[in-house]
Amino acid sequence: MGAFIAKMLLPTVSSLVFLPAASVAAKRGFHMEAMVYFFTMFFVAIYHACDGPGLSILCFMKYDILEYFSVYGTALSMWVTLIALGDFDEPQRSSITMFGVLTIAVRIYQDRWGYGIYSGPIGSAVFIITVKWLQKMKQLRAVYPEKTVYTQQVGPGCCFGALALMLRFYFEEWDYAYVHSFYHLSLAVSFILLLPKKNRYAGTGRNAAKLSCFTLCCCVCYIYSC
């Protein structure tokens, strides 16, 4: 009986892996991305908790709403991570990010379980990044960005991301609790790997912008009060 309950709780507990991703993003100066990861962790955890035994008290919203925002947060996390990887200048960066925020919301409202909820944002982001990097290569007549970005970020990050999607869409029938938990882990690892080492817009030294735990807690309280 204890093993069964533990297995039921595994998807909820495994969703907490997005918390280290949010922490790493905040330390690197990617505060918006950290907020998105924290948002995703919160709704994914509560959504899976509603499926667990004896945790229905945590379902402070309708199950359908929790389901929507858990999928929306996951897709949005993929989008903001890839856009951060692209290292766009302002106002391109904020404009492209907002484009994803709006279009992903509409797409998931139409269908929250199809392949398009993730392939759409990923495909669009990869296309935009490819165009930008090819233009940079043409201007510099050299590889852009540095080779280490491809070997240490793009390659490993994409591998973990591909593994996560394969687990999500092709292998969950094997054993949902374990496979879905590994899906959470692979996805969080891909976010950490794909994020650049430093946000050049975050400032340095004393002028560096900081994201405190108090801010994140305030956001949770605001969501809960809604």
Side-chain angles (χ1 to χ4, degrees):
M1 186 65 179
F4 173 76
I5 295 177
K7 187 175 179 180
M8 289 289 292
L9 294 176
L10 194 57
T12 303
V13 176
S14 65
S15 63
L16 299 179
V17 297
F18 291 110
L19 190 58
S23 177
V24 170
K27 288 183 178 180
R28 294 179 182 178
F30 292 95
H31 298 163
M32 179 188 67
E33 289 76 7
M35 293 290 290
V36 173
Y37 299 156
F38 191 82
F39 174 92
T40 303
M41 180 211 69
F42 181 79
F43 278 100
V44 171
I46 300 300
Y47 167 65
H48 285 299
C50 289
D51 291 328
L55 296 177
S56 59
I57 190 175
L58 297 176
C59 301
F60 62 94
M61 291 183 179
K62 292 182 179 179
Y63 186 81
D64 185 66
I65 296 176
L66 294 173
E67 180 183 75
Y68 174 87
F69 281 111
S70 65
V71 177
Y72 176 69
T74 303
L76 188 58
S77 296
M78 296 177 182
W79 177 259
V80 298
T81 302
L82 290 172
I83 298 306
L85 174 66
D87 193 26
F88 292 92
D89 295 324
E90 292 291 356
Q92 279 184 320
R93 182 172 179 266
S94 56
S95 299
I96 294 173
T97 301
M98 184 54 63
F99 171 78
V101 170
L102 299 175
T103 55
I104 291 172
V106 176
R107 179 65 182 85
I108 295 178
Y109 184 81
Q110 292 177 330
D111 176 21
R112 67 190 64 171
W113 296 119
Y115 297 105
I117 58 175
Y118 300 138
S119 64
I122 292 173
S124 300
V126 169
F127 175 76
I128 294 171
I129 293 172
T130 302
V131 171
K132 188 229 176 175
W133 285 3
L134 288 176
Q135 289 177 341
K136 280 286 189 180
M137 289 181 188
K138 185 178 179 181
Q139 293 174 1
L140 301 174
R141 295 184 179 180
V143 175
Y144 180 88
E146 299 175 353
K147 293 182 180 179
T148 54
V149 174
Y150 292 98
T151 57
Q152 298 178 11
Q153 290 180 239
V154 178
C158 289
C159 287
F160 275 98
L163 173 62
L165 293 178
M166 288 176 61
L167 292 172
R168 167 68 178 79
F169 289 105
Y170 297 105
F171 297 103
E172 280 195 345
E173 294 181 357
W174 288 9
D175 193 319
Y176 177 82
Y178 292 110
V179 173
H180 199 77
S181 297
F182 277 112
Y183 156 69
H184 289 161
L185 178 61
S186 300
L187 201 59
V189 171
S190 71
F191 294 157
I192 294 173
L193 290 172
L194 288 172
L195 270 183
K197 303 302 181 183
K198 185 67 178 177
N199 184 0
R200 57 192 175 100
Y201 292 106
T204 57
R206 294 182 178 179
N207 296 324
K210 295 182 180 180
L211 180 65
S212 64
C213 294
F214 176 75
T215 303
L216 294 177
C217 291
C218 288
C219 292
V220 173
C221 292
Y222 175 76
I223 294 172
Y224 188 83
S225 64
C226 291

